[in-house]
Amino acid sequence: MIVGIDPGQTGGIAYIDTASGASHAVPMPLMGKEIDGHELANALRGRSIDAVIIEKVHAMPKQGVSSTFKFGMGFGLVIGVCEALGIPYRLITPQAWKKVVLAGTAKDKDAAATFVRRAYPSIDLAPGRKSKPHDGMADAVCLAEYGRQQLKLEVTA
């Protein structure tokens, strides 16, 4: 199983079973306005995970100090949970996964949602009563797909 994680409060977690092709995605678990590390660990614990693909994020220009710190804490929490559970992970830049998964597209949020609808139609990107696709879930699926493709290349090499 490959897991993709788009870290951050509006991020998501996606699972692709490399044996069966089954897939699933959920929004990042939150407690209030912060990532819930306990629920994140529960979402990963007890699964046969080959690798977690985490989007390698960084602070954006003109982003406030407080929001940058909070964002960095969430990113670190995701890595810490993987480390604590002994799950192998890779940090992948948005440019790297988009080049592979969204090749030939505008490589934006709409392209990610379109890819997920086409490649994984069983995944509901608008859980609950949402009318717009959840960007974090779409990116997480794309990250997992990137990992699936890379694992497939490594096995055949």
Side-chain angles (χ1 to χ4, degrees):
M1 177 175 295
I2 302 294
V3 176
I5 298 181
D6 178 11
Q9 294 174 335
T10 60
I13 307 168
Y15 310 86
I16 298 175
D17 186 320
T18 53
S20 70
S23 58
H24 178 68
V26 295
M28 181 64 72
L30 301 176
M31 180 179 289
K33 292 185 177 184
E34 306 213 1
I35 295 174
D36 187 336
H38 181 72
E39 285 303 315
L40 176 60
N42 285 340
L44 299 175
R45 186 181 289 117
R47 296 178 185 259
S48 180
I49 298 173
D50 296 304
V52 174
I53 309 300
I54 304 169
E55 187 171 63
K56 186 177 183 180
V57 293
H58 58 278
M60 300 299 285
K62 299 184 181 180
Q63 191 174 11
V65 174
S66 179
S67 62
T68 298
F69 181 78
K70 192 173 188 178
F71 188 67
M73 282 202 39
F75 178 65
L77 183 114
V78 170
I79 292 171
V81 166
C82 289
E83 287 278 353
L85 294 175
I87 300 171
Y89 65 90
R90 295 182 187 164
L91 303 177
I92 305 298
T93 64
Q95 296 83 3
W97 70 257
K98 288 178 180 183
K99 181 178 179 181
V100 171
V101 178
L102 302 180
T105 72
K107 297 179 180 61
D108 58 10
K109 297 290 183 188
D110 289 337
T114 299
F115 168 81
V116 173
R117 282 191 212 103
R118 183 177 45 81
Y120 296 97
S122 65
I123 294 179
D124 180 10
L125 290 179
R129 299 179 149 206
K130 298 197 182 283
S131 58
K132 290 174 51 178
H134 190 289
D135 295 341
M137 287 171 54
D139 285 357
V141 174
C142 291
L143 284 155
E145 173 62 18
Y146 173 88
R148 187 192 69 76
Q149 289 183 26
Q150 295 306 306
L151 181 67
K152 190 174 176 181
L153 289 174
E154 289 172 11
V155 169
T156 58

